[in-house]
Each structure stands twice: as C-alpha cells, then as structure tokens.
C-alpha cells in the first residue's frame, strides 16, 4: 500500500513537471496571434507625440476592432491593445477623425454611446494629454 501511494505521488509530480514544460514550450515557441495594422496617424504640433489609429486583429475567431493610442513621435506601434480608445468594427468603416487641438489636447470625432470597449479622457502622468470626444 505504501508503495502505491509513493508511486501515485511521483507520477503526479512527473505529470505536473511535464505539463509545466509543455506550457512554457508553447508560450515561447508560438508568436502572439494578434497583430496591429496602421490606419492613420497625426503628429502633435510640437512633433513630440502622435495619435495612431489602427486595426487590431487576433485571428479568425475574433471580430475587427478600431483602436487609438497616443505614442511618442518615434515610438513603434507595439503589438498590444490601444491606450485611449477601442470600438468594434473595421477602421475603414468606423474610424473616427482624430486631431490635435494643441500639444496637450486631442479631439476624437465620435460621440460616446456605450459601445466602446475603452474610452479614456486623459493619458499620461507627467505630460498629461486630455482627450475630448465630439
């Protein structure tokens, strides 16, 4: 009986180690399935920042989404979700107009209607950018 308990415990530990190694292998072997595709961009008046409108696509099982981020002027669009605004739909059909009103204020030409996944009213800690929706 003692032998059977030891065998079951050792097999459980072995199964846990193999499962962990498999998960780590999958995580590091296969790239992220999501991708961002630039639709439009607008630079701030001082050319230090830019608004980026893009489509985020995570494969055939997800729908299109239009997303807006504020990035530094020389920062490459990262493969992650937006930091300001996300709505369902392809940018060719639903992308709102975006513009800089000054170096610290942007306007997104879209009235908020509750369909948004994300709709921030400001961005940043030190050089805060205010986001207005119209």
């Amino acid at each position: 009986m003692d032998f059977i308990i030891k065998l079951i415990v050792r097999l459980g530990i072995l199964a846990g180690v193999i499962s962990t190694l498999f998960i780590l292998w999958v995580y590091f072997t296969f790239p992220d399935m999501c991708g961002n595709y630039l639709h439009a961009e607008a630079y701030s008046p001082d050319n230090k920042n830019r608004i980026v409108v893009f489509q985020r696509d995570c494969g055939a099982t997800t729908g299109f989404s239009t997303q807006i981020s504020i990035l530094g002027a020389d920062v490459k669009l990262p493969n992650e979700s937006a930091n300001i605004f996300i709505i369902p739909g392809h940018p060719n059909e639903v992308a709102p107009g975006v513009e800089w009103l000054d170096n610290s204020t942007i306007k997104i030409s879209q009235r908020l209607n509750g369909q948004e996944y994300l709709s921030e009213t400001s961005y940043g800690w030190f050089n805060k950018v205010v986001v207005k929706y119209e």
Side-chain angles (χ1 to χ4, degrees), residues 35-84:
N36 292 340
Y37 305 97
L38 184 65
H39 179 73
E41 61 186 349
Y43 285 84
S44 62
D46 63 2
N47 287 319
K48 290 184 179 178
N49 294 308
R50 66 187 170 129
I51 307 168
V52 180
V53 180
F54 60 97
Q55 170 197 331
R56 183 154 177 84
D57 183 6
C58 291
T61 60
T62 61
F64 295 112
S65 69
T66 298
Q67 305 195 14
I68 300 174
S69 284
I70 297 176
L71 303 172
D74 57 347
V75 174
K76 181 183 172 193
L77 179 61
N79 189 16
E80 56 189 41
S81 293
N83 57 26
I84 295 295

Side-chain angles (χ1 to χ4, degrees), residues 51-131:
I51 307 168
V52 180
V53 180
F54 60 97
Q55 170 197 331
R56 183 154 177 84
D57 183 6
C58 291
T61 60
T62 61
F64 295 112
S65 69
T66 298
Q67 305 195 14
I68 300 174
S69 284
I70 297 176
L71 303 172
D74 57 347
V75 174
K76 181 183 172 193
L77 179 61
N79 189 16
E80 56 189 41
S81 293
N83 57 26
I84 295 295
F85 187 71
I86 303 173
I87 56 174
H90 195 282
N92 288 341
E93 299 165 0
V94 300
V98 294
E99 68 177 296
W100 289 90
L101 301 179
D102 57 44
N103 290 323
S104 61
T105 310
I106 67 169
K107 179 175 85 170
I108 297 177
S109 300
Q110 171 109 7
R111 293 209 183 271
L112 300 180
N113 61 15
Q115 299 294 320
E116 303 82 16
Y117 300 132
L118 176 69
S119 56
E120 297 291 335
T121 57
S122 66
Y123 174 76
W125 288 92
F126 298 110
N127 298 321
K128 188 172 282 200
V129 175
V130 175
V131 182

